[in-house]
Amino acid sequence: MSPQSRSRSRPPGPRGDPIFGNSRQYARDPFGFLTACEAAYGDVVSVDFGPLSAYVLTNPTDVERVLVGDHERYRKPEFQADELGRLLGNGLLLSEGETWRRQRDLATPAFNMSRIADVADTMTAHAEATVGSWSTGDELDLEAEMARLTVRIIADAMLGVDLSAARVRTIQEALDPLGKRFEPDPVRFVTPDWVPTRGNRDFEDAVERLEGVVDDIVAERRGTEGDADADDPPMDLLSILLRAQNRGGQTDRQLRDEVLTMLLAGHDTTALTLTYAGYLLAEHPAAEGRLHAELDSVLDGAPTFADARELTYLDRVLQETMRLYPPVYAIFREPLVDVKLGGYRIPEGAAVMCPQWAVHRSPRWWDDPERFDPDRWTRDRSAGRPRFAHFPFGGGPRHCIGKQFSLLEARLILAVIGREYRLDYRGDGPPDLQGSLTMHPEGGMPIRVERR
């Protein structure tokens, strides 16, 4: 077949069912489905999700082209905007064009590295309060513990509030119906949002409760944001947004969307990274021992920003955790025009999926990819690896704005935990994984902590 005719043909892909296509296969096990597609069909895979045609990209070169090189030819897909719009509105995660650029520029100073360094002690203090409530022999749900901790940190560092236990419970209780709404479900996918199903009612109730929390936070902070012309105004995100609103640059709806986006997206992925890191360390005592030895040699008391930069093995543990268990396991884009990827024509308006799960675990890019091996992140072993063989934070202009914040937070929290405790995984076999907006362990992560 000539290159010209090949570019017009449809990529290979798995056979689907009538009406539902591959959506029921994907819903049963999204992770196994993506792995099988990568292994069987290669760089570009055609997948039918019923009403939605998708193209799965598993070559880092194509992923980089979509997210970085040709990013201006893509947008966040319409189906995600419809699904997520009721929850996050027009916040940074979903907004496009000039709105996104304006909001990104506005938020950037809150995530400046010098400011992140200034909140390192805040992160550590919250981590020590959480870990200080544990006792040797306690059996914990590590996912729930990390979620409560990281939501407190994001609220303090980026919204300037100390969340009460009641508000933390409200947020955590709302996350379950929200997560269920975004689990792969072929029936729900074709059911209109206005149909009064139990899931739709629970989702609407959860959104209203979260919006109530956000409205209360904004009301409490209003008047404390300082003057932009002052010598040292507060630089948390909510203060910046409130000052912009005082200048006429933010509506109440936009302000709520940004705060809700930050509150949810700003804590979930870090909590999951720490959850999976705890599981992997518990299952690999030699790696946990190396981490403890590094902590003992670097730390002199509570971990600091300077300490975090010296914890090189801990950083490799986190990178390897995000390779094996990327909290965001697939990124979607929609081409604004017909594009060519991997030699195939992808039509305007189709869904393009860049699956971290499949790429991160592909033997084409990784030696022994299923093995937990933090040393694969040493400089020598990383040389020559495709840049987008690992992209837990996305890439290009729309990469996660909180990347450096999240990494520092994860380093400091894991250091606080590892300084005090060994971890013992109490589950029966590897955790079952549930796909939603992010990848969660079904039933949480049972861990017993033992004093070192």
Side-chain angles (χ1 to χ4, degrees), residues 123 269-270 273 393 400 402-411:
M123 297 173 177
T269 53
T270 309
T273 296
F393 293 96
C400 175
K403 175 181 177 179
Q404 295 305 325
F405 182 97
S406 175
L407 287 174
L408 176 62
E409 180 184 17
R411 289 177 187 129

Side-chain angles (χ1 to χ4, degrees), residues 316-387:
R316 297 204 295 273
V317 166
L318 290 172
Q319 295 299 328
E320 181 71 343
T321 297
M322 290 185 290
R323 183 187 71 81
L324 283 168
Y325 292 98
V328 177
Y329 61 93
I331 294 174
F332 285 89
R333 291 291 186 268
E334 179 183 301
L336 298 168
V337 296
D338 289 1
V339 296
K340 186 176 177 181
L341 292 166
Y344 294 99
R345 185 184 70 83
I346 310 297
E348 172 190 352
V352 173
M353 178 193 281
C354 303
Q356 287 98 325
W357 176 269
V359 176
H360 288 191
R361 288 172 172 254
S362 172
R364 293 192 289 165
W365 323 117
W366 305 93
D367 296 330
D368 198 4
E370 300 294 317
R371 184 163 69 95
F372 177 63
D373 179 10
D375 284 338
R376 73 172 80 240
W377 294 97
T378 60
R379 181 173 299 180
D380 288 346
R381 290 181 59 188
S382 297
R385 183 181 299 148
R387 178 184 174 196

